[in-house]
Amino acid sequence: MSAAGCRLQCTMAAGRARSGCSLRAAGAALVVVTALLAVGCSCSPWGQDDVDRLREWQERQDERLLQQQRALEERQRLSDDLSLERQYLRTDLQLHRERQQDERQTERDARLNDHQRLRDDLLQERQVEQSDRQLHRQTLQDQGLDERQQLHDELDRDREREVEDQRRAREQLSDQARRDRERTDREREREQGRREREQQRREQEREREQQRRERERDLREQRRRWRRDADDTADDKNTTATTTTVKAADPPPQPATGKSYEGAQLWRVQIADGDVANLQRVEDDGVAQIWYSNATVWDLMVSAENQPHVRKLLADNKLAYTVVIPDMQRAILDENPSLSDDELELTSRKGHRMTWQHYHRVTDMHGWLDYLANTYPSICETLVIGSSVEGRPLKVLHIKGKPGSPAMWVDGGIHAREWITSASVSYMLNELVENHDSHRAWLSAVDLYVLPLANPDGYEYSHAGDRMWRKNRRRGGGCDGIDLNRNFGYKWGGKGAGPQPCQEIYRGSAPFSEPETSAIQSFVLARKASLKSYLSFHSYGQYVLYPWGYDRFVPPDHEDLQRVGTKLANAMRATSGLSYTVGSSAALLYPASGGSDDWAKGQAGLKYAFTIELRDTGRHGFVVPSSHILSSGKEVLAAVRTLAQEVAAL
């Protein structure tokens, strides 16, 4: 191609391409330009880049056309779907109208059928009524014959009943005669047994009367010796003999001697949470003795010489107090009056000296336990489970139940000054043994092990040396005694257990360091399989307490303990009218680790473990007059009976 022709073609192609009049023109221009470039035409104003841009533009135009075509197709599809949906709607409407017509026709047919059924029922009822009338007329005709037949049948039955009644009467007369003979035989046997028992009783009475006369002779002889010795006081040898004779005779209960509490008083202090540390320091410093404490009140026994100091301390801390016992020594003297000669003579006739109108010494109580075991060997026995620090026996009275019965443990007097506990527990024992038949129904279901004096050394010392002595009589460490109820092994050495020997709550050098607690531990663990409950009596405050005492927690079965504890409190209240508060020891009072009930529950694994704080709530404190022994003993009896019934039901 000539240069002029090439230039002309390029110019025309460029004009068509730039005009952009149509895609087809642009495409044709693109073909021409591409061809010219292919033959090497150099006169073209288009370069390769222009060709590429032109090609891209054409591709975009092609894509736009494709999208437009798709949009048209989509609109056509939607139009077709809409037409089809309209057709479906028309069809559904037609079907709905047809169904409504069918339902109306069915309803009309049903009404017609109901009307027809009603007509048929009425017709049938009329037919039945006519049949009944005919049957009734026939029945009336036959009834006359039936009544006559019934009369004959009743006459026959009456004759048969009369014959049967006569036969039964003869049998009853025969049975009555047999029962009368058997009753007569039983009465004869009972009379024979009664005569034998009466004869045995008379023989026992004669033996007891003989023993009483012998004791009276001995007592008269002893009194004559006392008078002779009293008249001959100048003779040292006779004086020594008199002293020996009096000691051997074990004189009747006397008020505690030894340490005097002249001028001492019992104060009740109202406290708040922040006051506890100050009051605890009072006891630690030795200026007062804490008798009782809970979240709101503390009872302090303050000696005469320390009263100004304690009064100032309370005033500095703005603590109010009231005087509960104004004269402690007078209260001690009035607590346990001596036995009169008549009472002494009366006690000698019983074979023992216990009265439960006085607080007795250790020898009286141990002698009485032996008396029960010797007099009622089929009911009870004494067991010596160990010895105290000073060598006194720890005597347990075992009241026997049926073989295989669950067992209970009961103790009192673990704190020496709490006299009411040992006296009340001993009253309970005396009632159960002396009147065993009255309690046989529930006693036969349990084995009862009772230790009335868990701390015999301390108890004796509280009579002869210091009425307010609490601990046992372990010597050494600068101060004597260990609090036995802080010496048990479960959580030993925790809160509320003193590390210093001079503290009232001194826990001892190690768990079960004392022979008293060690003996209880060995005895309980040896019978762990049968023992189901542990009941320890203390005073005072009127509480029924259950574990835990070491801290303000409760065991998993605390609901059972609360339920049974409430029963114990209700039973005790029913006997005396006094109310007892039920709850865990630490929550109601204060944390005290190393207690016997915590150990019984936590280590020995006994189901029921309780500590009962007996009367009162502070009027007498530890110095409960002996006139309260009987009523308190009845409370203890009610509590033990109630717990025994719960144990038997396990």
Side-chain angles (χ1 to χ4, degrees):
M1 180 181 295
S2 64
C6 179
R7 188 177 301 111
L8 178 61
Q9 291 292 332
C10 289
T11 302
M12 293 174 61
R16 286 194 297 270
R18 288 171 180 159
S19 64
C21 58
S22 66
L23 289 174
R24 184 176 300 173
L30 179 61
V31 171
V32 172
V33 172
T34 303
L36 291 175
L37 291 175
V39 296
C41 179
S42 59
C43 62
S44 172
W46 297 84
Q48 185 63 39
D49 292 338
D50 294 331
V51 173
D52 292 339
R53 284 194 298 272
L54 185 60
R55 185 177 288 110
E56 289 175 359
W57 178 83
Q58 185 179 5
E59 289 175 354
R60 286 195 300 271
Q61 294 299 324
D62 292 340
E63 180 67 24
R64 189 179 298 112
L65 287 174
L66 182 60
Q67 290 177 356
Q68 291 175 357
Q69 184 177 359
R70 288 176 179 172
L72 290 174
E73 291 175 354
E74 181 67 19
R75 283 196 294 273
Q76 183 63 36
R77 186 182 63 78
L78 290 174
S79 177
D80 294 342
D81 290 344
L82 183 60
S83 300
L84 184 61
E85 187 173 355
R86 288 189 185 125
Q87 185 177 356
Y88 286 158
L89 288 174
R90 285 193 295 271
T91 303
D92 291 342
L93 181 60
Q94 182 66 26
L95 291 174
H96 179 67
R97 289 172 180 169
E98 292 177 356
R99 280 197 300 272
Q100 285 183 339
Q101 291 176 359
D102 293 340
E103 289 174 357
R104 292 192 190 97
Q105 183 63 35
T106 302
E107 187 177 355
R108 285 194 295 271
D109 294 341
R111 284 199 294 270
L112 290 174
N113 292 334
D114 290 341
H115 291 318
Q116 183 64 35
R117 218 171 18 253
L118 287 174
R119 286 195 296 270
D120 294 341
D121 291 343
L122 288 173
L123 181 59
Q124 186 175 3
E125 287 178 1
R126 291 193 188 98
Q127 293 175 354
V128 170
E129 186 177 358
Q130 292 176 358
S131 299
D132 290 341
R133 289 173 182 171
Q134 293 176 359
L135 182 61
H136 182 63
R137 285 194 295 270
Q138 183 66 34
T139 301
L140 290 176
Q141 293 174 0
D142 298 336
Q143 189 172 3
L145 296 175
D146 293 337
E147 288 178 353
R148 286 193 294 271
Q149 183 63 37
Q150 288 176 1
L151 288 174
H152 288 297
D153 294 339
E154 288 178 0
L155 289 173
D156 293 337
R157 285 193 295 271
D158 289 340
R159 283 193 293 270
E160 291 174 358
R161 280 196 297 270
E162 185 176 356
V163 172
E164 181 66 20
D165 291 340
Q166 291 175 356
R167 184 184 63 79
R168 290 179 179 174
R170 288 193 297 271
E171 291 178 354
Q172 288 176 356
L173 289 174
S174 177
D175 293 338
Q176 183 65 32
R178 179 177 54 80
R179 286 194 295 270
D180 290 341
R181 287 193 300 271
E182 292 176 353
R183 188 182 302 108
T184 302
D185 294 338
R186 287 195 299 270
E187 290 176 354
R188 189 180 297 110
E189 292 174 357
R190 283 198 296 268
E191 180 64 20
Q192 181 66 23
R194 187 188 64 78
R195 290 175 181 174
E196 293 175 356
R197 288 192 298 273
E198 182 67 19
Q199 184 177 359
Q200 293 176 357
R201 187 186 65 79
R202 289 175 180 173
E203 292 176 356
Q204 292 175 356
E205 287 289 339
R206 284 195 294 270
E207 293 176 357
R208 291 174 182 172
E209 181 65 18
Q210 184 178 359
Q211 293 174 358
R212 183 187 65 79
R213 291 175 181 174
E214 292 175 357
R215 285 194 297 270
E216 288 178 349
R217 284 197 301 269
D218 294 339
L219 184 60
R220 286 194 295 270
E221 180 64 25
Q222 189 178 61
R223 287 175 178 172
R224 283 195 295 270
R225 287 198 303 270
W226 288 348
R227 293 191 187 97
R228 287 197 305 269
D229 294 339
D231 293 336
D232 197 11
T233 56
D235 190 343
D236 293 338
K237 182 176 180 180
N238 289 342
T239 302
T240 303
T242 302
T243 304
T244 305
T245 303
V246 172
K247 182 178 180 180
D250 195 7
Q254 299 288 337
T257 59
K259 183 176 180 179
S260 174
Y261 285 87
E262 192 71 35
Q265 294 180 339
L266 181 65
W267 294 358
R268 171 152 290 187
V269 183
Q270 305 294 327
I271 68 165
D273 291 339
D275 305 324
V276 173
N278 292 327
L279 289 178
Q280 185 63 54
R281 192 175 71 249
V282 167
E283 184 176 55
D284 294 341
D285 294 343
V287 297
Q289 193 178 84
I290 299 174
W291 276 20
Y292 169 83
S293 64
N294 61 24
T296 58
V297 298
W298 282 39
D299 288 354
L300 303 179
M301 200 275 290
V302 189
S303 62
E305 60 271 17
N306 289 325
Q307 287 173 15
H309 175 72
V310 177
R311 191 177 290 111
K312 182 178 183 303
L313 175 65
L314 297 179
D316 292 343
N317 289 276
K318 297 181 174 58
L319 295 176
Y321 73 94
T322 56
V323 178
V324 179
I325 300 179
D327 189 343
M328 186 61 65
Q329 186 63 29
R330 171 50 55 189
I332 292 173
L333 294 174
D334 294 341
E335 175 189 24
N336 194 33
S338 302
L339 286 172
S340 65
D341 290 341
D342 292 339
E343 289 174 321
L344 183 61
E345 182 178 358
L346 179 63
T347 58
S348 66
R349 297 179 183 177
K350 299 187 298 184
H352 61 82
R353 299 179 60 178
M354 297 289 287
T355 63
W356 295 282
Q357 296 175 353
H358 300 268
Y359 293 109
H360 290 259
R361 305 281 281 270
V362 173
T363 52
D364 284 354
M365 297 188 73
H366 282 177
W368 162 74
L369 290 174
D370 293 335
Y371 160 80
L372 291 180
N374 294 332
T375 308
Y376 304 97
S378 62
I379 297 175
C380 62
E381 61 180 341
T382 54
L383 306 172
V384 177
I385 67 171
S387 299
S388 64
V389 169
E390 294 180 346
R392 290 183 174 86
L394 300 174
K395 285 193 175 184
V396 168
L397 189 73
H398 172 210
I399 299 181
K400 306 170 186 177
K402 294 179 181 178
S405 299
M408 299 173 56
W409 169 272
V410 179
D411 68 53
I414 199 168
H415 287 147
R417 63 191 177 191
E418 298 169 8
W419 288 4
I420 190 65
T421 64
S422 296
S424 301
V425 170
S426 64
Y427 170 86
M428 178 268 297
L429 279 178
N430 193 70
E431 172 66 20
L432 294 183
V433 176
E434 295 277 8
N435 299 311
H436 187 265
D437 289 342
S438 300
H439 308 281
R440 186 185 302 273
W442 63 271
L443 269 181
S444 61
V446 293
D447 261 341
L448 191 59
Y449 297 97
V450 183
L451 177 62
L453 281 174
N455 181 10
D457 297 345
Y459 180 79
E460 184 65 21
Y461 186 70
S462 69
H463 278 268
D466 182 354
R467 173 63 187 89
M468 296 308 152
W469 190 257
R470 169 186 172 94
K471 302 183 282 185
N472 75 346
R473 293 298 296 161
R474 170 72 68 184
R475 305 296 197 277
C479 293
D480 294 339
I482 289 171
D483 186 346
L484 297 180
N485 206 39
R486 301 294 187 275
N487 192 240
F488 285 80
Y490 188 72
K491 303 295 183 181
W492 177 87
K495 297 178 181 179
Q500 302 301 325
C502 292
Q503 290 179 285
E504 285 284 275
I505 53 174
Y506 176 45
R507 66 199 180 199
S509 59
F512 299 109
S513 62
E514 302 312 292
E516 296 90 347
T517 56
S518 178
I520 294 174
Q521 177 199 30
S522 299
F523 185 85
V524 170
L525 292 182
R527 292 159 179 80
K528 180 179 178 180
S530 61
L531 276 169
K532 304 300 179 184
S533 69
Y534 191 103
L535 181 57
S536 184
F537 286 96
H538 291 244
S539 73
Y540 57 96
Q542 294 174 201
Y543 290 98
V544 178
L545 305 173
Y546 55 80
W548 303 116
Y550 72 89
D551 210 336
R552 289 181 172 86
F553 307 118
V554 291
D557 61 346
H558 67 95
E559 292 182 354
D560 288 343
L561 295 173
Q562 180 72 26
R563 174 183 59 82
V564 175
T566 302
K567 286 188 176 182
L568 301 185
N570 292 338
M572 297 171 77
R573 182 179 182 181
T575 66
S576 65
L578 297 184
S579 297
Y580 281 75
T581 305
V582 183
S584 67
S585 301
L588 286 182
L589 298 179
Y590 46 83
S593 57
S596 63
D597 54 352
D598 275 11
W599 171 81
K601 182 69 174 176
Q603 282 191 347
L606 275 59
K607 170 63 177 176
Y608 297 125
F610 292 98
T611 292
I612 295 183
E613 298 280 354
L614 294 175
R615 61 182 62 195
D616 53 15
T617 56
R619 170 65 183 85
H620 299 287
F622 296 121
V623 193
V624 181
S626 58
S627 58
H628 289 252
I629 294 175
L630 290 179
S631 54
S632 181
K634 292 176 182 178
E635 291 178 350
V636 170
L637 174 61
V640 171
R641 178 176 61 245
T642 303
L643 184 56
Q645 292 167 350
E646 292 293 324
V647 168
L650 289 176

